[in-house]
Amino acid sequence: MRKVSIKGTGSCVPERVVPNSFFERIVDTSDEWITTRTGIKERRMVFPGQALTDLAVPAAQRAMEMAGVSSLEIDLIVVGTSTPDMVTPSAACILQDRLGARNAFAFDIGAACPGFLYSLAVAQKFIQDGSHEYALVVGGEIISNRIDYTDRSTCVLFGDGAGAVILGARNGDGEGEVLSTHLHSDGSLWNLLNVPGGGSRNPPSHEMVDRGLHYIKMQGNEVFKYAVRAMVESALEALEANKVTSEDIDWFIPHQANLRIMETVAKRLDIPLHKVISTVHKYGNTSAASIPTALDEAIRSGKIRRGDLILVGSFGAGFTWGASLFRY
Ligand code: ACO
């Protein structure tokens, strides 16, 4: 089996910055509450009319440019998202069209926040087995229009964004390697975090909108507990599978849901906070976009360098969770 490496990364967040003070004006909350409970100071949100691929296209183009790979060389596109441009076709097919990636086949993966990790793992297999050469893997979300702006316990948490990586066979030229990805789900917990409307159970209707079923529903406390345990367990699984310890890790990129979750997980893994990459203060929880955008920014700022050992971990609705270990 071929070894797989990350050839390039890219990301894109909307221009519109929404600070905590925005929510102080519409619900009973404060900058102080949001900052101390979540670490979030501001987030990015799209303007009305903007869709996922409006962010995914620039993110993908930046990743292709860094990788030196053209759109015609890409033969696989996988997009991890819960918020595609439309119900059907997939965001991946719309992205394929907009990039002119005519030689690819394309599909979405719905795994909520770990959608990027799930997509990475699937794409890796196609490169490993030699059937495909270059995969574009995107994690992206437009979550700002799934938020109930009267529910203070969820509306302050989320933001929009998209991140992308190009995967290809490792050429041994100073490149790293995607070592392993460990994925899990527990469908018995679906009720703790969901968007009940818009699917076949509660199809789009005036009644669905009147009842607010198209908005995110979350039992934050319960999610918090499971998230910490799940992220720690899958991270340990990734370390063990590769016979390394947390001391060997150069950087840990946890899902950027909440600074308290990120710090608790890092502490339980014995990873010092200076090795934890965090963007949650400026982007909030961008779901499937959180890991690839944080990865791209850390690479472009020079924090992450070729040869560094990176641990990433995520969890989200489903429940779904997982961890991946790679050398950049
Ligand atoms: N401002 C002020 N007060 C608030 C706010 C707010 N924005 N939100 C909730 N509160 C209040 C509650 O109403 C409650 O008040 P009460 O005691 O009078 O009832 C009090 O604060 C405490 O509420 P908790 O829910 O216990 O607050 P907690 O400390 O747990 O923090 C939070 C809430 C931040 C949501 C936390 O539970 C959390 O981060 N959970 C995980 C969320 C998450 O990461 N979800 C992942 C989503 S992944 C995906 O797939 C999209």
Side-chain angles (χ1 to χ4, degrees):
M1 283 215 291
R2 302 195 297 181
K3 293 186 166 161
V4 174
S5 69
I6 293 178
K7 307 278 180 187
T9 62
S11 61
C12 179
V13 293
E15 282 168 25
R16 183 176 155 224
V17 179
V18 179
N20 288 345
S21 56
F22 169 83
F23 296 96
E24 289 178 329
R25 291 196 292 273
I26 58 171
V27 287
D28 181 14
T29 191
S30 64
D31 173 48
E32 198 264 333
W33 192 97
I34 301 170
T35 306
T36 51
R37 299 293 179 112
T38 70
I40 300 167
K41 296 298 288 179
E42 59 189 35
R43 70 287 291 139
R44 302 297 183 95
M45 290 186 184
V46 291
F47 291 110
Q50 283 185 297
L52 176 63
T53 61
D54 296 331
L55 304 183
V57 166
Q61 284 168 334
R62 286 166 196 160
M64 290 190 299
E65 193 185 345
M66 189 192 285
V69 169
S70 75
S71 54
L72 291 177
E73 288 175 282
I74 290 171
D75 42 15
L76 170 61
I77 300 175
V78 191
V79 177
T81 187
S82 310
T83 53
D85 291 25
M86 46 189 85
V87 172
T88 194
S90 65
C93 281
I94 295 174
L95 184 60
Q96 173 189 21
D97 177 48
R98 294 184 64 178
L99 293 173
R102 288 193 300 279
N103 299 317
F105 83 99
F107 59 95
D108 289 355
I109 289 185
C113 299
F116 174 75
L117 283 192
Y118 271 60
S119 303
L120 185 79
V122 170
Q124 183 185 4
K125 306 275 181 209
F126 284 96
I127 311 281
Q128 266 174 340
D129 72 11
S131 62
H132 290 72
E133 288 306 317
Y134 292 109
L136 165 62
V137 181
V138 175
E141 221 79 75
I142 305 294
I143 215 157
S144 57
N145 51 27
R146 303 299 170 94
I147 290 170
D148 178 353
Y149 288 91
T150 63
D151 175 9
R152 67 177 182 174
S153 66
T154 53
C155 70
V156 300
L157 301 175
F158 297 98
D160 303 329
V165 302
I166 302 293
L167 293 185
R170 183 176 177 224
N171 62 20
D173 204 9
E175 289 186 332
E177 182 185 345
V178 181
L179 295 164
S180 66
T181 303
H182 306 264
L183 301 174
H184 299 276
S185 49
D186 182 350
S188 71
L189 301 170
W190 69 268
N191 212 18
L192 294 179
L193 175 56
N194 54 52
V195 178
S200 51
R201 177 72 59 200
N202 298 292
S205 67
H206 292 299
E207 193 208 337
M208 179 205 83
V209 174
D210 290 344
R211 292 171 62 202
L213 298 180
H214 55 307
Y215 293 136
I216 291 176
K217 316 281 177 205
M218 179 170 74
Q219 294 176 38
N221 260 328
E222 288 299 306
V223 174
F224 195 110
K225 271 192 304 200
Y226 282 107
V228 169
R229 199 164 57 210
M231 283 175 76
V232 169
E233 280 174 12
S234 54
L236 290 174
E237 199 183 344
L239 297 177
E240 219 172 284
N242 292 284
K243 299 194 173 23
V244 296
T245 70
S246 54
E247 277 184 28
D248 300 313
I249 299 301
D250 293 301
W251 297 103
F252 176 41
I253 311 181
H255 172 45
Q256 311 281 311
N258 174 326
L259 194 60
R260 286 190 305 156
I261 297 180
M262 292 157 62
E263 290 183 351
T264 309
V265 171
K267 203 168 158 206
R268 295 209 186 151
L269 291 171
D270 277 331
I271 297 175
L273 292 183
H274 69 265
K275 290 187 175 181
V276 178
I277 288 176
S278 173
T279 59
V280 72
H281 57 291
K282 52 182 183 171
Y283 299 145
N285 179 351
T286 58
S287 185
S290 86
I291 287 176
T293 48
L295 173 68
D296 179 54
E297 287 199 5
I299 288 171
R300 285 177 191 269
S301 69
K303 231 178 200 179
I304 291 181
R305 293 159 190 241
R306 282 283 178 201
D308 284 354
L309 189 61
I310 322 286
L311 175 67
V312 303
S314 188
F315 72 94
F319 268 14
T320 50
W321 69 95
S324 183
L325 190 72
F326 60 89
R327 203 167 278 289
Y328 177 58

